[in-house]
Each structure stands twice: as structure tokens, then as C-alpha cells.
Amino acid sequence: MLACSAMRREALGHAAGLCRGVASWSKFNPAAMSGSNPAQASNLVYGEWVQAEKTMAIPDPLNGEPFIQVPDTQLYEVEPFVASMKATPKSGMHNPFKQPERYLMWGDITARVAAEMRRPEVEDHFARLIQRTSPKSYAQASGEVRVTRKFLENFSGDQVRFLARGFSVPGDHPGQQSHGYRWPYGPVTLITPFNFPLEIPVLQMMGALYMGNKPLVHSDHKVCLVLEEFVRLLHHCGMSLTELDICNGRGATVNEIMAQGHPRNTLFTGSKGVAEKLARDFHGRIFLEDAGFDWKILGPDVHEFDYVAWQCDQDAYACSGQKCSAQSILFMHDNWVEAGLEKALAQRAATRKLEDLTVGPVLSVKTETMLAHKERLLQIPGARLLFGGEALTGHSIPERYGAIQPTAVFVPLSELLKEANFEVATKEIFGPFQVVTQYSDRDVPHVLEACERMEAHLTAAVVSNDARFVQHILGSTVNGTTYAGIRARTTGAPQNHWFGPAGDPRAAGIGTPEAIRLVWSTHREVIQDFGPVPHGLHLLQS
């Protein structure tokens, strides 16, 4: 309790003096949010910030006090959102033929927002707001803000218009030419999770807007303040209030809006169960970034031992393991085990503490669930606890959230591959939890078998400078974002590369022009045929 209080005083006290710099557009002060002074989130529809008849109280993840009031939009309140969605034409708000000047408009708005986010007080403001709603270390929170800002810088100026770049092909005769265009969907839906409350919604939302769509955005209610604050910054920088809608509330409400409004496309980031439900309900008109049981293979060549141990710890336990790209299973070659990697990982994990949020609340998995999973793994023959495996103590994190030490359970590869054990050994635990196993040179086919049998194919890493080994692993696996080389990781913010799963036609992407074109635009072919019309048409009859 004392450790949490000291951490909160440091974090919130530091933020108090910085909020004045963003007061012209900011609504929320992370230093002032408390049980006695809760922040009030809002919906946005038809260009107006509005409240719902009911609200739900969000508990502070560090002490359980209700510190946010979020609109609990009811089914009888969905009509304005449905009407807004239906009013959006299929041809979008703009396209290469209609209001193309809006591509330039978005480039200008984006440039202004990026410049605003470069101000230290604005970067700090968003970092502190992220910390308050989805607790993580300041380094992780501020890194999320910087990645978002770099994305915006990447798409400033003329870069939005370049997203709509098409192609042309010569025709069969004079006056004919075929043109391929990137075309908006029109009304779309964006549903985002809690773990990256700024980066994921902003990168996807801006991509949707750039391509000419009007999105209905639903951010996880635990962190919705972060999205609202960014949208208010967009308004401050010149965006019209009517460009997008925000609906807060429960999943059933958003589902009803979609059922009545018929969005032309949906991007969902979250659990696999919800993803599959949406795919069924909306006939596959959906892009997904769902589950992420992510593997890392340490090759036979041991180089940069300290760095690799540090990166493994970061990949597994930064943000308390609440990254869809978190290292879920680690395949250690015998050489790394002999070099003492298990001990090095345990030592690094032991330095994580609640005081600086290098480990903290787990917002989607309860403590007892994670501990029960540990016990189930330990029932596998030969399994052993490497480190962790206990609940955190000395805190006031509410029981609805999880709080455990960074944990690793060793499972022998031969046992992991058995049908009776594979499902439990590859179950994603969205918290500071990983499975570790060991392999030899002759076991490489068994390692690849494990990778083949996994259902989630988001991120992966092949840690080796052995080019032939790396090529063999890469050629036999499918993960959509795979890092290779001695500095390979599983977690990497998408500021300079594609990020997304593979092996599924619904697989989404984020962060790059290619990702934006894939998710937020469709292909339209226009064949221009202006003549001249040939004479002697009777000669052309077939």
C-alpha cells in the first residue's frame, strides 16, 4: 500500500504542473482524477459531445476507487449513431473523384497534431493519462506517445494523398485506358482494446479517415479518456466535429449499432472469441488483429548474452505482459541454457516492481486465473516453475484485476507437443506469464511442429546471426510480423514497419501505407473509353 501511494504521488504530482500547457483543448487532468473527483467521458455523434442516460463507474486500477464515469449507452439510445452511419455514403467522405482536396486537408491537420504532440508538456500529458488508465511504466507510456506522433509525422503534408495512389493500364484502342483506384468503404467501425489506448485507436482511426471513411470508434471503456482527449486535440487542430463518432458503452450496444447501421467494414483488435463472433455476424466484412500467442526461438549461436536476456525480459514482461505481441513461449537452444539464460531471466524479472509500474495491474485476467494456469502447467510431467508464480502483495489493486509476479514455467518440449498438453501450454495469458522450453539441434523439426500447430500467427522472433538457421525457420513459419537476427524481439512499436497477423484472409495491418490501404480502402477499377468511335460498325459485328 505504501509503495503504491509513493508511486502515485510521484506520477500524479509531476503531472499536475504540466497540464496547464494543454489547457486550451484538454478536458482531463490525470493528476486530479480520483474517487472524489471522477473524470466524465462523453459520446460524440453528429458533431456533438453528448452524455448517455446512464453511466458506469470505472475503478482506479491501483486502488479500486471509481475514478472515471463512462456513458453506459443503452440499446434505446443507439438511433443517432445508426442514423449517422446510414447517412454516410458508400463513396465515402472523399475519394479520387469527389472532394480530393480533403486528402490535403487531412495532411495539414495531421501536421498540426504532430507538431502539438512534439511539445514536451503534451507528450507528458498523454503519457500520464495512459498511466492512469492502463498502468505501465513511464518509459512504456511515453514510448506509445512518441510512436503515435511519429506515425502522424509520417502522414503529414502530401503523404495522405499518396495513400490513394492507383495505377493505369493502356487500353485496346485510342481513348481507352484502365485505372485502378483505392476507394473508401464509407461507413466503417473501429473497435480497440485497453492495452495501447492511444496508439492502436489513433493509428487505425487516422488511416480510416485518410482514405475517406467515416468511422464509428469504440475504445475499451477502461481507457476511453485517452481516445477522447486525442479527438479533442484533433478538433483543436482543425478537424470538423462531424468527421467521426465515438460510442462508449458495452459491447452489446455497439453490436446493435452495427447490426442496424450496416458498416461496410470493421477493424477489430481484441480477443479471438469476439473476433469470430463479429466475423459471423457481419458476414466476414471485417479485419482482425485478435489473439497473440507469440513465440521466440533462440538459435544455436550464443551472442550478446546480456542484451538477449534483457530483450527476452522486455518482450515477456513490459506492460505487465499486456501486449498482443508479448513473448508467450521461449524456445531456448541447449547452448543458451548452458550459458545460464534461465538464471539471467530470473534476475531481471526480480527487478520489476509495482512502485515504478514495471509490473502492475492486469486488466483482463484475474490473479486466481493466472495462478490456476500456473498450477495446471506444473501438472505436466517434467514441468517446473522457473521464477515468479506468486500474487503481488502490499497493494490495493482491486480483485477484478490481476496482480502477479513476472512468471515463467518450464515445460519439456516432448511433453508440450503431446495432444493432452499442447492446448494448455499454448493458451494465451494476457499478463506477465510465459512458457519456456528447451531444444537441441535434432529437435528443430519438433520446434517447427509446435509453431505450425499454434493458431495465432501475430508476432515471432528468431534470435540468431546464423543466416542458414534463420532462413530455415523463416521459410517454415507464417507469423505476420517476424523479427530475425541477434537483436530480434517480439514486441516492436509499428512506427517503421507493418504490424499484423498472417495466414488469415481477414488479417489486419497497422502502421504503414500498405496496412492503411489494405484495411481502410477497397479496389475500384474505372475504364475510361472516350473514343473516337470507329466507322463502319457493321464490320465489327461478331
Side-chain angles (χ1 to χ4, degrees):
M1 179 74 76
L2 293 177
C4 280
S5 298
M7 182 278 297
R8 285 168 59 78
R9 281 197 302 271
E10 186 279 328
L12 301 185
H14 181 74
L18 290 164
C19 290
R20 291 189 298 273
V22 295
S24 61
W25 52 266
S26 173
K27 178 182 177 183
F28 305 113
N29 181 350
M33 292 158 50
S34 67
S36 60
N37 185 35
Q40 177 65 62
S42 303
N43 290 333
L44 176 64
V45 62
Y46 269 131
E48 293 187 13
W49 292 104
V50 296
Q51 295 299 320
E53 183 176 307
K54 298 180 180 179
T55 61
M56 56 177 132
I58 306 302
D60 188 318
L62 291 175
N63 63 21
E65 296 179 355
F67 78 136
I68 304 173
Q69 294 291 331
V70 176
D72 187 7
T73 309
Q74 300 295 300
L75 295 177
Y76 57 79
E77 296 177 299
V78 303
E79 193 279 330
F81 298 98
V82 172
S84 179
M85 188 174 287
K86 287 185 173 181
T88 305
K90 294 177 182 178
S91 57
M93 308 303 291
H94 60 267
N95 60 51
F97 291 96
K98 180 175 72 175
Q99 293 188 281
E101 65 274 12
R102 282 173 52 89
Y103 293 113
L104 302 180
M105 176 197 79
W106 281 115
D108 291 342
I109 291 172
T110 301
R112 290 193 288 271
V113 175
E116 189 78 6
M117 293 186 71
R118 187 168 280 278
R119 295 167 53 200
E121 61 270 28
V122 175
E123 177 181 313
D124 185 85
H125 174 69
F126 277 107
R128 299 295 176 180
L129 193 56
I130 290 169
Q131 279 194 298
R132 285 293 281 124
T133 57
S134 181
K136 59 184 75 174
S137 69
Y138 187 80
Q140 290 287 320
S142 59
E144 182 178 344
V145 180
R146 287 193 295 273
V147 165
T148 304
R149 185 250 300 164
K150 288 181 179 180
F151 168 87
L152 295 167
E153 290 173 341
N154 288 342
F155 292 99
S156 296
D158 275 335
Q159 296 307 310
V160 175
R161 131 162 86 193
F162 291 152
L163 284 172
R165 187 194 304 271
F167 60 85
S168 63
V169 178
D172 295 333
H173 48 257
Q176 186 188 74
Q177 195 171 59
S178 178
H179 296 270
Y181 294 95
R182 300 314 305 172
W183 209 257
Y185 287 99
V188 298
T189 309
L190 170 60
I191 304 171
T192 62
F194 70 87
N195 56 332
F196 286 90
L198 182 69
E199 183 180 331
I200 294 177
V202 169
L203 269 59
Q204 295 289 14
M205 179 180 73
M206 297 307 294
L209 292 167
Y210 293 157
M211 298 313 297
N213 305 289
K214 180 176 180 179
L216 169 73
V217 188
H218 174 69
S219 175
D220 188 290
H221 53 264
K222 295 185 289 294
V223 297
C224 63
L225 296 189
V226 182
L227 171 65
E228 179 174 338
E229 194 77 323
F230 182 81
V231 171
R232 290 180 182 275
L233 174 58
L234 279 173
H235 294 162
H236 172 74
C237 292
M239 183 186 82
S240 165
L241 271 71
T242 59
E243 297 289 349
L244 60 92
D245 297 329
I246 297 175
C247 180
N248 293 299
R250 304 174 196 272
T253 299
V254 179
N255 195 90
E256 184 62 23
I257 295 171
M258 295 170 65
Q260 294 186 35
H262 305 293
R264 304 280 294 167
N265 187 22
T266 295
L267 183 282
F268 174 79
T269 304
S271 72
K272 187 173 183 62
V274 175
E276 294 299 333
K277 178 188 182 303
L278 289 172
R280 290 191 302 269
D281 290 351
F282 299 100
H283 309 289
R285 294 189 183 94
I286 187 169
F287 282 97
L288 303 177
E289 188 205 308
D290 48 358
F293 189 87
D294 306 303
W295 51 261
K296 177 184 286 184
I297 299 172
L298 304 183
D301 50 324
V302 178
H303 300 294
E304 305 294 343
F305 181 89
D306 290 340
Y307 179 86
V308 171
W310 171 83
Q311 187 65 68
C312 285
D313 175 78
Q314 284 290 105
D315 285 343
Y317 303 123
C319 297
S320 299
Q322 296 172 105
K323 295 185 179 183
C324 53
S325 56
Q327 175 181 301
S328 304
I329 186 168
L330 178 65
F331 295 90
M332 304 180 298
H333 190 276
D334 290 342
N335 296 342
W336 285 93
V337 178
E338 292 172 6
L341 184 64
E342 289 183 10
K343 181 180 178 181
L345 294 178
Q347 290 173 339
R348 290 190 175 276
T351 66
R352 294 184 173 273
K353 52 189 182 296
L354 190 58
E355 290 89 334
D356 59 6
L357 290 177
T358 49
V359 67
V362 176
L363 301 190
S364 63
V365 188
K366 292 184 177 181
T367 301
E368 53 265 34
T369 301
M370 291 185 280
L371 296 181
H373 184 63
K374 176 203 69 173
E375 293 299 329
R376 174 64 184 86
L377 287 171
L378 291 176
Q379 293 174 14
I380 298 174
R384 53 190 168 89
L385 181 67
L386 291 184
F387 51 83
E390 301 292 335
L392 294 178
T393 59
H395 62 79
S396 52
I397 295 171
E399 291 185 0
R400 66 188 290 174
Y401 299 141
I404 70 166
Q405 300 168 348
T407 298
V409 177
F410 181 90
V411 178
L413 181 60
S414 59
E415 292 292 333
L416 184 148
L417 289 171
K418 291 181 178 178
E419 195 68 34
N421 300 327
F422 189 79
E423 184 175 353
V424 67
T426 58
K427 176 181 173 63
E428 182 183 14
I429 296 294
F430 210 55
F433 198 111
Q434 66 172 322
V435 170
V436 178
T437 192
Q438 181 177 347
Y439 74 100
S440 64
D441 290 337
R442 64 178 179 275
D443 290 325
V444 171
H446 300 306
V447 173
L448 293 173
E449 177 190 346
C451 296
E452 178 77 11
R453 287 169 61 184
M454 295 176 198
E455 291 189 12
H457 300 293
L458 182 55
T459 68
V462 188
V463 182
S464 174
N465 277 348
D466 183 333
R468 300 178 83 176
F469 177 83
V470 170
Q471 184 171 341
H472 179 54
I473 300 298
L474 292 178
S476 304
T477 55
V478 69
N479 292 52
T481 304
T482 307
Y483 302 82
I486 204 63
R487 294 191 63 173
R489 55 189 179 175
T490 63
T491 59
Q495 68 190 57
N496 66 335
H497 63 78
W498 170 287
F499 183 86
D504 187 328
R506 305 165 300 177
I510 189 173
T512 63
E514 294 80 11
I516 293 172
R517 293 187 189 105
L518 170 78
V519 176
W520 297 116
S521 72
T522 187
H523 177 88
R524 186 182 190 188
E525 192 80 6
V526 176
I527 298 89
Q528 297 178 350
D529 206 344
F530 294 107
V533 175
H535 297 291
L537 287 178
H538 64 283
L539 299 177
L540 300 178
Q541 292 178 351
S542 60

